[in-house]
């Protein structure tokens, strides 16, 4: 299982100040935020909490959506692919996979414009690393993810809109995420109201 990647989008300039986060994408690595922690609270894995600012501006030619995708590729997808490859062939030690044709990877993406733009920019690097980038067809949810159209999926969306993290029972994973948010708030790098913090 790849690392947990929790994304909080749409923060304002006031909530995620530019002076502390010029890129608009704040990635916080959290010890113990991993699937294994559900069985073992002392599990040593790491996960990520990602905060993004709501903006349409483009900084240095790269949008916030592209930065978010790049961070995911570097911190979650790439390391996960390397771990899988090492399991298949222990002689592979990460990085360039051009000499390991049997370890090629196909990555299907149901991506939006910025995500696809970043993939196109990274195409040469992906090829040298043995990763084939494929785009899922537009408007094909009814075929590829038929459950998206079912009543159970629609019902789950309604519940998600009405429930908040504060209604969850206390869990070690929730405590770790809230502790990371509180530290950012205490350091003045995140300005969320008490209602938004829980």
């Amino acid at each position: 299982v790849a690392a947990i990647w929790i994304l909080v989008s749409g923060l304002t300039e006031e909530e995620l100040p530019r002076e502390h986060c010029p890129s608009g994408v704040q990635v916080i690595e959290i010890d113990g935020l991993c699937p294994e922690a559900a069985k073992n609270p002392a599990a040593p894995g790491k996960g990520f909490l990602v905060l993004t600012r709501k903006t349409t501006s483009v900084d240095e030619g790269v949008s916030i959506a592209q930065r978010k995708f790049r961070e995911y590729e570097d911190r979650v997808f790439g390391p996960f692919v390397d771990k899988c490859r090492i399991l298949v062939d222990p002689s592979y030690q990460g990085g360039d996979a051009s000499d390991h044709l049997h370890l090629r990877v196909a990555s299907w993406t149901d991506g939006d414009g910025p995500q696809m733009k970043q993939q196109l920019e990274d195409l040469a690097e992906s090829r040298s690393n043995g990763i084939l980038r494929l785009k899922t067809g537009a408007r094909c949810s009814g075929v590829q993810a038929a459950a998206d159209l079912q009543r159970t999926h629609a019902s789950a969306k309604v519940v998600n809109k009405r429930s908040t993290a504060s209604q969850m029972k206390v869990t070690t994973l929730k405590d770790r995420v809230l502790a990371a948010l509180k530290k950012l708030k205490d350091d003045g790098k995140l300005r969320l109201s008490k209602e938004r913090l829980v």
Side-chain angles (χ1 to χ4, degrees):
V1 176
I4 291 175
W5 182 264
I6 300 172
L7 178 64
V8 179
S9 300
L11 297 175
T12 65
E13 291 267 351
E14 184 178 295
E15 292 172 324
L16 189 61
R18 189 171 289 277
E19 63 267 17
H20 297 296
C21 183
S23 72
V25 178
Q26 176 78 46
V27 180
I28 303 106
E29 192 171 290
I30 302 176
D31 290 329
L33 183 63
C34 58
E36 298 84 9
K39 292 188 272 183
N40 174 11
K46 295 176 189 272
F48 300 93
L49 174 63
V50 184
L51 309 174
T52 63
R53 197 168 35 245
K54 176 176 57 176
T55 183
T56 56
S57 66
V58 176
D59 301 331
E60 300 173 21
V62 180
S63 71
I64 286 176
Q66 280 180 269
R67 283 194 181 97
K68 175 180 61 178
F69 179 71
R70 176 82 263 144
E71 290 285 352
Y72 178 81
E73 287 282 307
D74 293 344
R75 295 175 186 252
V76 178
F77 181 73
F80 179 72
V81 167
D82 281 346
K83 287 176 186 175
C84 291
R85 286 174 166 166
I86 290 168
L87 285 173
V88 171
D89 183 350
S91 71
Y92 174 75
Q93 294 302 311
D96 184 1
S98 57
D99 292 337
H100 297 79
L101 295 179
H102 62 290
L103 295 178
R104 285 179 288 190
V105 172
S107 172
W108 287 90
T109 304
D110 185 15
D112 57 3
Q115 187 176 19
M116 297 311 300
K117 183 178 179 184
Q118 188 63 47
Q119 285 194 9
L120 288 171
E121 290 177 9
D122 296 343
L123 202 53
E125 180 185 340
S126 293
R127 277 192 190 141
S128 72
N129 198 17
I131 298 174
L132 177 63
R133 300 293 183 167
L134 304 163
K135 169 73 170 101
T136 303
R139 292 185 215 98
C140 57
S141 288
V143 175
Q144 293 178 342
D148 287 359
L149 305 176
Q150 301 302 318
R151 285 170 119 22
T152 53
H153 190 71
S155 299
K157 283 186 175 180
V158 170
V159 171
N160 287 340
K161 288 180 182 176
R162 293 184 182 163
S163 62
T164 65
S166 62
Q167 293 168 329
M168 291 172 49
K169 292 180 181 177
V170 175
T171 67
T172 55
L173 297 181
K174 177 184 172 186
D175 290 344
R176 289 172 182 157
V177 171
L178 288 176
L181 288 170
K182 185 177 182 318
K183 180 172 180 356
L184 282 175
K185 186 174 180 183
D186 292 347
D187 292 345
K189 296 178 180 177
L190 182 66
R191 299 180 186 137
L192 288 179
S193 65
K194 186 176 179 182
E195 295 78 26
R196 295 259 294 164
L197 192 57
V198 297

